[in-house]
Amino acid sequence: MDRIKKIVREILTEKKKKRDRCLRIADRKFDKPSAYKSGAVVRCRKGDIWKGLKEDESLHKWFKRQGAPGKGGGWVDCNSPIRKDGKITGYKSCGRKEGEKRAKYPSCRPTPSKCKDKGKGKKWGKTK
């Protein structure tokens, strides 16, 4: 009985090991556990794939992106383009100023180039 208690105590106090780089990348690439995912992890640990893939960009850094100097920030509202001579020259910064009214709900993206990507919303954002 004492031996079982000792084993249970060891298991409960054992620190959770940090997932290695290959597992984190595989989690992003594959939705659910599969043979493809585990095979990719093995190949990554051997050094066959994902060698030059950088993982230094964190979510905090991604949200703090800044736009061009003098702009309100890097995030733009894809539903409010700035037009000049019928062409889109840019987008308003994301977020509403006090008293500002917009026709559509803001569809925020980190950079203007991401406005071309299809959105997930059915009633707002780019749907095609």
Side-chain angles (χ1 to χ4, degrees):
M1 193 68 169
D2 291 332
R3 191 170 153 202
I4 294 173
K5 286 182 181 179
K6 190 176 185 179
I7 292 170
V8 170
R9 191 175 307 124
E10 284 177 16
I11 292 171
L12 292 175
T13 58
E14 185 178 292
K15 281 189 173 180
K16 188 176 180 182
K17 293 181 181 178
K18 191 174 182 182
R19 297 173 67 81
D20 69 337
R21 176 182 166 272
C22 294
L23 271 173
R24 289 191 303 264
I25 294 171
D27 284 339
R28 286 194 315 248
K29 301 273 184 192
F30 300 95
D31 292 336
K32 54 188 176 183
S34 66
Y36 297 108
K37 182 177 180 178
S38 59
V41 170
V42 170
R43 287 179 58 206
C44 175
R45 287 178 180 159
K46 282 183 182 177
D48 294 341
I49 57 173
W50 302 329
K51 283 184 187 175
L53 196 61
K54 291 187 178 179
E55 202 183 28
D56 62 340
E57 185 163 320
S58 65
L59 192 61
H60 180 72
K61 184 178 177 184
W62 191 71
F63 276 109
K64 291 291 180 187
R65 284 186 184 173
Q66 294 297 313
K71 295 281 184 180
W75 286 76
V76 293
D77 180 5
C78 294
N79 283 339
S80 59
I82 300 170
R83 297 180 189 274
K84 188 172 189 181
D85 298 329
K87 295 181 181 179
I88 297 174
T89 59
Y91 295 91
K92 288 184 181 179
S93 62
C94 195
R96 298 181 191 182
K97 308 286 189 265
E98 193 172 322
E100 182 180 1
K101 296 190 184 220
R102 294 191 184 178
K104 290 183 176 179
Y105 190 80
S107 176
C108 299
R109 302 286 187 273
T111 57
S113 64
K114 289 290 180 183
C115 287
K116 295 172 186 150
D117 293 349
K118 183 181 171 186
K120 290 187 177 181
K122 292 183 180 184
K123 296 182 181 177
W124 55 272
K126 281 196 174 284
T127 54
K128 291 183 181 180

PDB file of all heavy atoms in Angstrom, residues 55-86:
ATOM      1  N   GLU A  55      10.477  30.231 -35.163  1.00  0.00           N
ATOM      2  CA  GLU A  55       9.374  30.159 -34.226  1.00  0.00           C
ATOM      3  C   GLU A  55       9.460  31.292 -33.203  1.00  0.00           C
ATOM      4  O   GLU A  55       8.865  31.240 -32.152  1.00  0.00           O
ATOM      5  CB  GLU A  55       9.433  28.803 -33.519  1.00  0.00           C
ATOM      6  CG  GLU A  55       8.118  28.389 -32.944  1.00  0.00           C
ATOM      7  CD  GLU A  55       8.220  27.082 -32.202  1.00  0.00           C
ATOM      8  OE1 GLU A  55       9.289  26.753 -31.690  1.00  0.00           O
ATOM      9  OE2 GLU A  55       7.208  26.414 -32.125  1.00  0.00           O
ATOM     10  N   ASP A  56      10.221  32.327 -33.554  1.00  0.00           N
ATOM     11  CA  ASP A  56      10.496  33.379 -32.575  1.00  0.00           C
ATOM     12  C   ASP A  56       9.363  34.395 -32.470  1.00  0.00           C
ATOM     13  O   ASP A  56       9.354  35.195 -31.550  1.00  0.00           O
ATOM     14  CB  ASP A  56      11.795  34.095 -32.915  1.00  0.00           C
ATOM     15  CG  ASP A  56      11.739  34.785 -34.263  1.00  0.00           C
ATOM     16  OD1 ASP A  56      10.900  34.434 -35.097  1.00  0.00           O
ATOM     17  OD2 ASP A  56      12.550  35.685 -34.480  1.00  0.00           O
ATOM     18  N   GLU A  57       8.411  34.407 -33.395  1.00  0.00           N
ATOM     19  CA  GLU A  57       7.353  35.406 -33.331  1.00  0.00           C
ATOM     20  C   GLU A  57       6.235  34.932 -32.406  1.00  0.00           C
ATOM     21  O   GLU A  57       5.581  33.940 -32.661  1.00  0.00           O
ATOM     22  CB  GLU A  57       6.770  35.690 -34.716  1.00  0.00           C
ATOM     23  CG  GLU A  57       5.769  36.814 -34.666  1.00  0.00           C
ATOM     24  CD  GLU A  57       5.474  37.387 -36.022  1.00  0.00           C
ATOM     25  OE1 GLU A  57       6.393  37.528 -36.824  1.00  0.00           O
ATOM     26  OE2 GLU A  57       4.299  37.698 -36.255  1.00  0.00           O
ATOM     27  N   SER A  58       6.057  35.633 -31.327  1.00  0.00           N
ATOM     28  CA  SER A  58       5.027  35.256 -30.366  1.00  0.00           C
ATOM     29  C   SER A  58       3.738  36.019 -30.673  1.00  0.00           C
ATOM     30  O   SER A  58       3.715  36.964 -31.458  1.00  0.00           O
ATOM     31  CB  SER A  58       5.493  35.587 -28.949  1.00  0.00           C
ATOM     32  OG  SER A  58       5.640  36.984 -28.810  1.00  0.00           O
ATOM     33  N   LEU A  59       2.670  35.599 -30.036  1.00  0.00           N
ATOM     34  CA  LEU A  59       1.379  36.247 -30.241  1.00  0.00           C
ATOM     35  C   LEU A  59       1.414  37.690 -29.744  1.00  0.00           C
ATOM     36  O   LEU A  59       0.837  38.583 -30.360  1.00  0.00           O
ATOM     37  CB  LEU A  59       0.289  35.459 -29.517  1.00  0.00           C
ATOM     38  CG  LEU A  59      -1.137  35.809 -29.835  1.00  0.00           C
ATOM     39  CD1 LEU A  59      -1.417  35.574 -31.318  1.00  0.00           C
ATOM     40  CD2 LEU A  59      -2.088  34.973 -29.015  1.00  0.00           C
ATOM     41  N   HIS A  60       2.132  37.932 -28.649  1.00  0.00           N
ATOM     42  CA  HIS A  60       2.258  39.286 -28.108  1.00  0.00           C
ATOM     43  C   HIS A  60       2.918  40.202 -29.136  1.00  0.00           C
ATOM     44  O   HIS A  60       2.453  41.316 -29.383  1.00  0.00           O
ATOM     45  CB  HIS A  60       3.072  39.249 -26.821  1.00  0.00           C
ATOM     46  CG  HIS A  60       3.260  40.584 -26.180  1.00  0.00           C
ATOM     47  ND1 HIS A  60       2.239  41.238 -25.544  1.00  0.00           N
ATOM     48  CD2 HIS A  60       4.346  41.394 -26.103  1.00  0.00           C
ATOM     49  CE1 HIS A  60       2.698  42.403 -25.095  1.00  0.00           C
ATOM     50  NE2 HIS A  60       3.972  42.512 -25.420  1.00  0.00           N
ATOM     51  N   LYS A  61       3.990  39.726 -29.752  1.00  0.00           N
ATOM     52  CA  LYS A  61       4.692  40.513 -30.755  1.00  0.00           C
ATOM     53  C   LYS A  61       3.793  40.756 -31.971  1.00  0.00           C
ATOM     54  O   LYS A  61       3.808  41.824 -32.569  1.00  0.00           O
ATOM     55  CB  LYS A  61       5.957  39.765 -31.170  1.00  0.00           C
ATOM     56  CG  LYS A  61       6.833  40.508 -32.134  1.00  0.00           C
ATOM     57  CD  LYS A  61       8.083  39.699 -32.426  1.00  0.00           C
ATOM     58  CE  LYS A  61       8.941  40.385 -33.452  1.00  0.00           C
ATOM     59  NZ  LYS A  61      10.093  39.584 -33.817  1.00  0.00           N
ATOM     60  N   TRP A  62       2.990  39.751 -32.322  1.00  0.00           N
ATOM     61  CA  TRP A  62       2.105  39.856 -33.480  1.00  0.00           C
ATOM     62  C   TRP A  62       1.056  40.954 -33.271  1.00  0.00           C
ATOM     63  O   TRP A  62       0.745  41.712 -34.166  1.00  0.00           O
ATOM     64  CB  TRP A  62       1.451  38.502 -33.715  1.00  0.00           C
ATOM     65  CG  TRP A  62       0.722  38.363 -34.990  1.00  0.00           C
ATOM     66  CD1 TRP A  62       1.257  38.279 -36.237  1.00  0.00           C
ATOM     67  CD2 TRP A  62      -0.682  38.271 -35.156  1.00  0.00           C
ATOM     68  NE1 TRP A  62       0.272  38.123 -37.169  1.00  0.00           N
ATOM     69  CE2 TRP A  62      -0.934  38.118 -36.541  1.00  0.00           C
ATOM     70  CE3 TRP A  62      -1.757  38.289 -34.286  1.00  0.00           C
ATOM     71  CZ2 TRP A  62      -2.205  37.989 -37.045  1.00  0.00           C
ATOM     72  CZ3 TRP A  62      -3.024  38.147 -34.803  1.00  0.00           C
ATOM     73  CH2 TRP A  62      -3.234  38.009 -36.165  1.00  0.00           C
ATOM     74  N   PHE A  63       0.499  41.049 -32.064  1.00  0.00           N
ATOM     75  CA  PHE A  63      -0.519  42.062 -31.796  1.00  0.00           C
ATOM     76  C   PHE A  63       0.069  43.464 -31.683  1.00  0.00           C
ATOM     77  O   PHE A  63      -0.623  44.442 -31.897  1.00  0.00           O
ATOM     78  CB  PHE A  63      -1.286  41.737 -30.512  1.00  0.00           C
ATOM     79  CG  PHE A  63      -2.411  40.779 -30.731  1.00  0.00           C
ATOM     80  CD1 PHE A  63      -2.344  39.484 -30.266  1.00  0.00           C
ATOM     81  CD2 PHE A  63      -3.539  41.168 -31.421  1.00  0.00           C
ATOM     82  CE1 PHE A  63      -3.374  38.610 -30.471  1.00  0.00           C
ATOM     83  CE2 PHE A  63      -4.582  40.292 -31.635  1.00  0.00           C
ATOM     84  CZ  PHE A  63      -4.493  39.006 -31.164  1.00  0.00           C
ATOM     85  N   LYS A  64       1.342  43.584 -31.358  1.00  0.00           N
ATOM     86  CA  LYS A  64       1.976  44.886 -31.177  1.00  0.00           C
ATOM     87  C   LYS A  64       2.574  45.449 -32.458  1.00  0.00           C
ATOM     88  O   LYS A  64       3.302  46.423 -32.413  1.00  0.00           O
ATOM     89  CB  LYS A  64       3.084  44.783 -30.115  1.00  0.00           C
ATOM     90  CG  LYS A  64       2.556  44.545 -28.735  1.00  0.00           C
ATOM     91  CD  LYS A  64       1.843  45.752 -28.232  1.00  0.00           C
ATOM     92  CE  LYS A  64       1.314  45.520 -26.832  1.00  0.00           C
ATOM     93  NZ  LYS A  64       0.485  46.604 -26.383  1.00  0.00           N
ATOM     94  N   ARG A  65       2.271  44.852 -33.597  1.00  0.00           N
ATOM     95  CA  ARG A  65       2.820  45.352 -34.862  1.00  0.00           C
ATOM     96  C   ARG A  65       2.434  46.805 -35.076  1.00  0.00           C
ATOM     97  O   ARG A  65       1.307  47.204 -34.808  1.00  0.00           O
ATOM     98  CB  ARG A  65       2.270  44.547 -36.030  1.00  0.00           C
ATOM     99  CG  ARG A  65       2.881  43.210 -36.193  1.00  0.00           C
ATOM    100  CD  ARG A  65       2.351  42.582 -37.450  1.00  0.00           C
ATOM    101  NE  ARG A  65       2.864  41.236 -37.578  1.00  0.00           N
ATOM    102  CZ  ARG A  65       2.470  40.396 -38.501  1.00  0.00           C
ATOM    103  NH1 ARG A  65       1.557  40.750 -39.368  1.00  0.00           N
ATOM    104  NH2 ARG A  65       2.975  39.201 -38.570  1.00  0.00           N
ATOM    105  N   GLN A  66       3.360  47.556 -35.585  1.00  0.00           N
ATOM    106  CA  GLN A  66       3.117  48.964 -35.864  1.00  0.00           C
ATOM    107  C   GLN A  66       3.082  49.184 -37.362  1.00  0.00           C
ATOM    108  O   GLN A  66       3.774  48.502 -38.117  1.00  0.00           O
ATOM    109  CB  GLN A  66       4.212  49.834 -35.248  1.00  0.00           C
ATOM    110  CG  GLN A  66       4.210  49.812 -33.744  1.00  0.00           C
ATOM    111  CD  GLN A  66       2.932  50.380 -33.162  1.00  0.00           C
ATOM    112  OE1 GLN A  66       2.470  51.434 -33.577  1.00  0.00           O
ATOM    113  NE2 GLN A  66       2.348  49.684 -32.212  1.00  0.00           N
ATOM    114  N   GLY A  67       2.312  50.142 -37.780  1.00  0.00           N
ATOM    115  CA  GLY A  67       2.236  50.479 -39.196  1.00  0.00           C
ATOM    116  C   GLY A  67       3.339  51.452 -39.583  1.00  0.00           C
ATOM    117  O   GLY A  67       4.340  51.599 -38.896  1.00  0.00           O
ATOM    118  N   ALA A  68       3.132  52.131 -40.671  1.00  0.00           N
ATOM    119  CA  ALA A  68       4.105  53.116 -41.139  1.00  0.00           C
ATOM    120  C   ALA A  68       4.181  54.274 -40.155  1.00  0.00           C
ATOM    121  O   ALA A  68       3.256  54.513 -39.381  1.00  0.00           O
ATOM    122  CB  ALA A  68       3.688  53.614 -42.509  1.00  0.00           C
ATOM    123  N   PRO A  69       5.283  55.023 -40.135  1.00  0.00           N
ATOM    124  CA  PRO A  69       5.409  56.162 -39.217  1.00  0.00           C
ATOM    125  C   PRO A  69       4.267  57.165 -39.426  1.00  0.00           C
ATOM    126  O   PRO A  69       3.909  57.475 -40.555  1.00  0.00           O
ATOM    127  CB  PRO A  69       6.749  56.784 -39.601  1.00  0.00           C
ATOM    128  CG  PRO A  69       7.501  55.709 -40.278  1.00  0.00           C
ATOM    129  CD  PRO A  69       6.485  54.817 -40.921  1.00  0.00           C
ATOM    130  N   GLY A  70       3.670  57.617 -38.344  1.00  0.00           N
ATOM    131  CA  GLY A  70       2.579  58.576 -38.423  1.00  0.00           C
ATOM    132  C   GLY A  70       1.215  57.922 -38.515  1.00  0.00           C
ATOM    133  O   GLY A  70       0.190  58.582 -38.479  1.00  0.00           O
ATOM    134  N   LYS A  71       1.175  56.611 -38.602  1.00  0.00           N
ATOM    135  CA  LYS A  71      -0.101  55.898 -38.679  1.00  0.00           C
ATOM    136  C   LYS A  71      -0.565  55.538 -37.282  1.00  0.00           C
ATOM    137  O   LYS A  71       0.191  55.549 -36.329  1.00  0.00           O
ATOM    138  CB  LYS A  71       0.044  54.616 -39.510  1.00  0.00           C
ATOM    139  CG  LYS A  71       0.365  54.864 -40.964  1.00  0.00           C
ATOM    140  CD  LYS A  71      -0.884  55.241 -41.690  1.00  0.00           C
ATOM    141  CE  LYS A  71      -0.608  55.405 -43.173  1.00  0.00           C
ATOM    142  NZ  LYS A  71      -1.761  55.761 -43.915  1.00  0.00           N
ATOM    143  N   GLY A  72      -1.847  55.160 -37.164  1.00  0.00           N
ATOM    144  CA  GLY A  72      -2.410  54.817 -35.871  1.00  0.00           C
ATOM    145  C   GLY A  72      -1.991  53.451 -35.364  1.00  0.00           C
ATOM    146  O   GLY A  72      -2.224  53.113 -34.235  1.00  0.00           O
ATOM    147  N   GLY A  73      -1.402  52.615 -36.186  1.00  0.00           N
ATOM    148  CA  GLY A  73      -0.989  51.271 -35.786  1.00  0.00           C
ATOM    149  C   GLY A  73      -0.978  50.367 -36.995  1.00  0.00           C
ATOM    150  O   GLY A  73      -1.394  50.742 -38.084  1.00  0.00           O
ATOM    151  N   GLY A  74      -0.492  49.167 -36.814  1.00  0.00           N
ATOM    152  CA  GLY A  74      -0.381  48.243 -37.921  1.00  0.00           C
ATOM    153  C   GLY A  74      -1.701  47.616 -38.319  1.00  0.00           C
ATOM    154  O   GLY A  74      -1.890  47.222 -39.453  1.00  0.00           O
ATOM    155  N   TRP A  75      -2.642  47.490 -37.388  1.00  0.00           N
ATOM    156  CA  TRP A  75      -3.901  46.828 -37.664  1.00  0.00           C
ATOM    157  C   TRP A  75      -4.815  47.747 -38.459  1.00  0.00           C
ATOM    158  O   TRP A  75      -4.934  48.927 -38.158  1.00  0.00           O
ATOM    159  CB  TRP A  75      -4.568  46.424 -36.353  1.00  0.00           C
ATOM    160  CG  TRP A  75      -3.870  45.266 -35.744  1.00  0.00           C
ATOM    161  CD1 TRP A  75      -2.680  45.285 -35.087  1.00  0.00           C
ATOM    162  CD2 TRP A  75      -4.291  43.913 -35.772  1.00  0.00           C
ATOM    163  NE1 TRP A  75      -2.337  44.033 -34.696  1.00  0.00           N
ATOM    164  CE2 TRP A  75      -3.307  43.164 -35.092  1.00  0.00           C
ATOM    165  CE3 TRP A  75      -5.391  43.261 -36.283  1.00  0.00           C
ATOM    166  CZ2 TRP A  75      -3.410  41.784 -34.926  1.00  0.00           C
ATOM    167  CZ3 TRP A  75      -5.498  41.889 -36.112  1.00  0.00           C
ATOM    168  CH2 TRP A  75      -4.512  41.173 -35.445  1.00  0.00           C
ATOM    169  N   VAL A  76      -5.433  47.190 -39.509  1.00  0.00           N
ATOM    170  CA  VAL A  76      -6.297  47.981 -40.380  1.00  0.00           C
ATOM    171  C   VAL A  76      -7.683  47.338 -40.452  1.00  0.00           C
ATOM    172  O   VAL A  76      -7.841  46.149 -40.225  1.00  0.00           O
ATOM    173  CB  VAL A  76      -5.712  48.100 -41.809  1.00  0.00           C
ATOM    174  CG1 VAL A  76      -4.444  48.903 -41.799  1.00  0.00           C
ATOM    175  CG2 VAL A  76      -5.481  46.747 -42.425  1.00  0.00           C
ATOM    176  N   ASP A  77      -8.677  48.162 -40.768  1.00  0.00           N
ATOM    177  CA  ASP A  77     -10.048  47.700 -40.929  1.00  0.00           C
ATOM    178  C   ASP A  77     -10.289  47.455 -42.409  1.00  0.00           C
ATOM    179  O   ASP A  77     -10.361  48.391 -43.202  1.00  0.00           O
ATOM    180  CB  ASP A  77     -11.011  48.756 -40.388  1.00  0.00           C
ATOM    181  CG  ASP A  77     -12.463  48.351 -40.517  1.00  0.00           C
ATOM    182  OD1 ASP A  77     -12.723  47.206 -40.935  1.00  0.00           O
ATOM    183  OD2 ASP A  77     -13.332  49.178 -40.208  1.00  0.00           O
ATOM    184  N   CYS A  78     -10.424  46.204 -42.796  1.00  0.00           N
ATOM    185  CA  CYS A  78     -10.580  45.845 -44.213  1.00  0.00           C
ATOM    186  C   CYS A  78     -11.940  46.261 -44.768  1.00  0.00           C
ATOM    187  O   CYS A  78     -12.136  46.275 -45.981  1.00  0.00           O
ATOM    188  CB  CYS A  78     -10.378  44.352 -44.395  1.00  0.00           C
ATOM    189  SG  CYS A  78      -8.696  43.837 -44.040  1.00  0.00           S
ATOM    190  N   ASN A  79     -12.893  46.575 -43.903  1.00  0.00           N
ATOM    191  CA  ASN A  79     -14.219  46.991 -44.369  1.00  0.00           C
ATOM    192  C   ASN A  79     -14.319  48.492 -44.605  1.00  0.00           C
ATOM    193  O   ASN A  79     -15.391  48.985 -44.935  1.00  0.00           O
ATOM    194  CB  ASN A  79     -15.296  46.564 -43.373  1.00  0.00           C
ATOM    195  CG  ASN A  79     -15.614  45.095 -43.489  1.00  0.00           C
ATOM    196  OD1 ASN A  79     -15.343  44.474 -44.515  1.00  0.00           O
ATOM    197  ND2 ASN A  79     -16.170  44.528 -42.450  1.00  0.00           N
ATOM    198  N   SER A  80     -13.247  49.236 -44.413  1.00  0.00           N
ATOM    199  CA  SER A  80     -13.299  50.679 -44.662  1.00  0.00           C
ATOM    200  C   SER A  80     -12.083  51.132 -45.480  1.00  0.00           C
ATOM    201  O   SER A  80     -11.149  51.707 -44.944  1.00  0.00           O
ATOM    202  CB  SER A  80     -13.385  51.454 -43.351  1.00  0.00           C
ATOM    203  OG  SER A  80     -12.276  51.168 -42.556  1.00  0.00           O
ATOM    204  N   PRO A  81     -12.109  50.859 -46.779  1.00  0.00           N
ATOM    205  CA  PRO A  81     -10.982  51.268 -47.614  1.00  0.00           C
ATOM    206  C   PRO A  81     -10.981  52.770 -47.878  1.00  0.00           C
ATOM    207  O   PRO A  81     -12.011  53.422 -47.870  1.00  0.00           O
ATOM    208  CB  PRO A  81     -11.204  50.492 -48.908  1.00  0.00           C
ATOM    209  CG  PRO A  81     -12.655  50.223 -48.945  1.00  0.00           C
ATOM    210  CD  PRO A  81     -13.108  50.112 -47.522  1.00  0.00           C
ATOM    211  N   ILE A  82      -9.803  53.307 -48.105  1.00  0.00           N
ATOM    212  CA  ILE A  82      -9.650  54.712 -48.496  1.00  0.00           C
ATOM    213  C   ILE A  82      -9.486  54.714 -50.007  1.00  0.00           C
ATOM    214  O   ILE A  82      -8.565  54.105 -50.543  1.00  0.00           O
ATOM    215  CB  ILE A  82      -8.422  55.345 -47.813  1.00  0.00           C
ATOM    216  CG1 ILE A  82      -8.583  55.274 -46.292  1.00  0.00           C
ATOM    217  CG2 ILE A  82      -8.215  56.765 -48.279  1.00  0.00           C
ATOM    218  CD1 ILE A  82      -7.336  55.644 -45.529  1.00  0.00           C
ATOM    219  N   ARG A  83     -10.398  55.368 -50.706  1.00  0.00           N
ATOM    220  CA  ARG A  83     -10.384  55.363 -52.168  1.00  0.00           C
ATOM    221  C   ARG A  83      -9.931  56.707 -52.721  1.00  0.00           C
ATOM    222  O   ARG A  83     -10.251  57.747 -52.186  1.00  0.00           O
ATOM    223  CB  ARG A  83     -11.771  55.050 -52.704  1.00  0.00           C
ATOM    224  CG  ARG A  83     -12.261  53.675 -52.312  1.00  0.00           C
ATOM    225  CD  ARG A  83     -13.645  53.422 -52.886  1.00  0.00           C
ATOM    226  NE  ARG A  83     -14.220  52.210 -52.362  1.00  0.00           N
ATOM    227  CZ  ARG A  83     -14.009  50.999 -52.877  1.00  0.00           C
ATOM    228  NH1 ARG A  83     -13.229  50.858 -53.909  1.00  0.00           N
ATOM    229  NH2 ARG A  83     -14.580  49.946 -52.339  1.00  0.00           N
ATOM    230  N   LYS A  84      -9.206  56.627 -53.812  1.00  0.00           N
ATOM    231  CA  LYS A  84      -8.767  57.824 -54.509  1.00  0.00           C
ATOM    232  C   LYS A  84      -8.844  57.516 -55.998  1.00  0.00           C
ATOM    233  O   LYS A  84      -8.218  56.556 -56.467  1.00  0.00           O
ATOM    234  CB  LYS A  84      -7.333  58.179 -54.101  1.00  0.00           C
ATOM    235  CG  LYS A  84      -6.873  59.511 -54.634  1.00  0.00           C
ATOM    236  CD  LYS A  84      -5.532  59.876 -54.047  1.00  0.00           C
ATOM    237  CE  LYS A  84      -5.207  61.307 -54.421  1.00  0.00           C
ATOM    238  NZ  LYS A  84      -3.914  61.702 -53.901  1.00  0.00           N
ATOM    239  N   ASP A  85      -9.622  58.274 -56.725  1.00  0.00           N
ATOM    240  CA  ASP A  85      -9.844  58.062 -58.162  1.00  0.00           C
ATOM    241  C   ASP A  85     -10.386  56.661 -58.446  1.00  0.00           C
ATOM    242  O   ASP A  85     -10.022  56.016 -59.422  1.00  0.00           O
ATOM    243  CB  ASP A  85      -8.555  58.292 -58.965  1.00  0.00           C
ATOM    244  CG  ASP A  85      -8.058  59.721 -58.840  1.00  0.00           C
ATOM    245  OD1 ASP A  85      -8.912  60.625 -58.685  1.00  0.00           O
ATOM    246  OD2 ASP A  85      -6.843  59.926 -58.896  1.00  0.00           O
ATOM    247  N   GLY A  86     -11.238  56.141 -57.563  1.00  0.00           N
ATOM    248  CA  GLY A  86     -11.858  54.836 -57.764  1.00  0.00           C
ATOM    249  C   GLY A  86     -10.993  53.644 -57.381  1.00  0.00           C
ATOM    250  O   GLY A  86     -11.424  52.508 -57.472  1.00  0.00           O
TER     251      GLY A  86
END
